[in-house]
Amino acid sequence: MNVFKREIKAGIKSFLVWTISVSAFISVCVFMFPQMEGKMDSVSDIFASMGAFSSAFGMDRLGLGSLIGFYSVECGTIMALGSTLYAAMVGSQMVGKEEKGRTTEFLFSMPIKREKVMVEKYLALTIQMGAFHIICFGVSLLSIILIKEEIPMEELLLLHTSYLVITLFIATICFSLSTINSMSNIGTGMGLVLFFYFFNIMANITEKADWMKYLTPFSFTDGADIVLDKKLDMKYISIWLVISLLSLIYGFWNYRRRDLKS
């Protein structure tokens, strides 16, 4: 497990920066709720009447005067984007950095197969993503306790489960992309996340663009759908699970056959 330990150690700084930053933003949002609670009902009516803008973020269906409504819109946006951008950053450089940093020759001077390298790197990636979400979820619960509000546990668990799932999907896809060449793919990975997010906004604005939900994994993280239905949309999750698995298989196959630069 030398490669695994090396990846965990190498990623600790970015892990701490992203985890502390996203957790802090979520905590601040939760702490804002008691001061805004009395005013949010009238604000919700205003947002609900703003047509496409309110539809894009589900504000036409959720009341911002409730904690879970406020959380899913405000904290949900931070959590969904923050976690996926972090996943794209880490996944996109997980494999390609060996060639870019000219450490490939050193890595494969040890008695280790490429498949084992990929397995340990991917394991390190998923562990980082899981730990990130556990901490963020814990901070969310602690923040709600501190403001003395009742914890909507079922909805929170569903919301954060959707964020974890999309993070693993994005991390997997970007991990596979990092096997294609030795160049830094961070920009590509983050750009992919923003495109996915844009597709989801467009799909929410009008029913005519509803087909775009199949083009983005953000389709199963919509706070309004999760809170109102109290379930995850397994149709979209299944689609992106297949896409992620196929990309992972391709990544392993491509890394095994490529001539690596040392």
Side-chain angles (χ1 to χ4, degrees), residues 18-38:
W18 279 86
T19 303
I20 292 172
S21 299
V22 173
S23 296
F25 276 120
I26 291 174
S27 185
V28 168
C29 278
V30 173
F31 287 144
M32 288 172 57
F33 179 72
Q35 283 72 40
M36 303 178 66
E37 184 176 8

Side-chain angles (χ1 to χ4, degrees), residues 74-237:
E74 301 294 338
C75 300
T77 302
I78 295 171
M79 191 68 207
L81 272 177
S83 62
T84 50
L85 288 172
Y86 171 56
M89 184 196 74
V90 178
S92 295
Q93 61 180 344
M94 184 64 78
V95 179
K97 66 181 180 182
E98 301 294 348
E99 294 179 83
K100 185 181 178 183
R102 305 298 181 185
T103 58
T104 306
E105 185 175 356
F106 169 75
L107 178 63
F108 289 105
S109 64
M110 299 182 289
I112 185 171
K113 294 182 178 180
R114 291 191 186 189
E115 292 85 353
K116 183 174 175 59
V117 170
M118 287 288 283
V119 168
E120 292 195 22
K121 282 178 174 287
Y122 185 68
L123 180 59
L125 176 63
T126 55
I127 290 295
Q128 290 178 66
M129 298 303 112
F132 171 87
H133 279 280
I134 290 172
I135 293 173
C136 288
F137 182 62
V139 169
S140 298
L141 293 180
L142 179 60
S143 300
I144 294 173
I145 291 172
L146 290 175
I147 64 172
K148 298 179 180 179
E149 290 281 341
E150 183 178 351
I151 299 175
M153 186 60 75
E154 182 181 2
E155 291 88 346
L156 278 180
L157 281 172
L158 287 171
L159 284 169
H160 280 267
T161 298
S162 73
Y163 305 146
L164 172 60
V165 172
I166 190 177
T167 300
L168 292 175
F169 287 172
I170 293 294
T172 300
I173 292 169
C174 291
F175 177 81
S176 299
L177 288 175
S178 71
T179 68
I180 295 176
N181 57 57
S182 59
M183 302 298 291
S184 175
N185 294 299
I186 295 177
T188 302
M190 289 189 167
L192 191 64
V193 168
L194 295 178
F195 271 115
F196 283 153
Y197 191 71
F198 172 76
F199 288 155
N200 191 58
I201 289 177
M202 293 299 296
N204 287 338
I205 288 176
T206 172
E207 291 184 0
K208 293 181 179 179
D210 196 58
W211 58 271
M212 295 183 74
K213 284 184 175 291
Y214 292 96
L215 303 179
T216 169
F218 284 98
S219 55
F220 59 80
T221 65
D222 282 338
D225 291 338
I226 293 173
V227 171
L228 295 176
D229 297 339
K230 293 189 177 182
K231 64 179 182 179
L232 300 179
D233 195 323
M234 298 307 298
K235 174 179 62 177
Y236 295 120
I237 290 178

Side-chain angles (χ1 to χ4, degrees), residues 241-259:
L241 175 61
V242 172
I243 292 173
S244 299
L245 288 175
L246 289 175
S247 71
L248 186 61
I249 292 170
Y250 169 78
F252 271 76
W253 172 81
N254 188 54
Y255 192 69
R256 183 178 181 181
R257 61 177 281 275
R258 281 186 59 219
D259 291 328

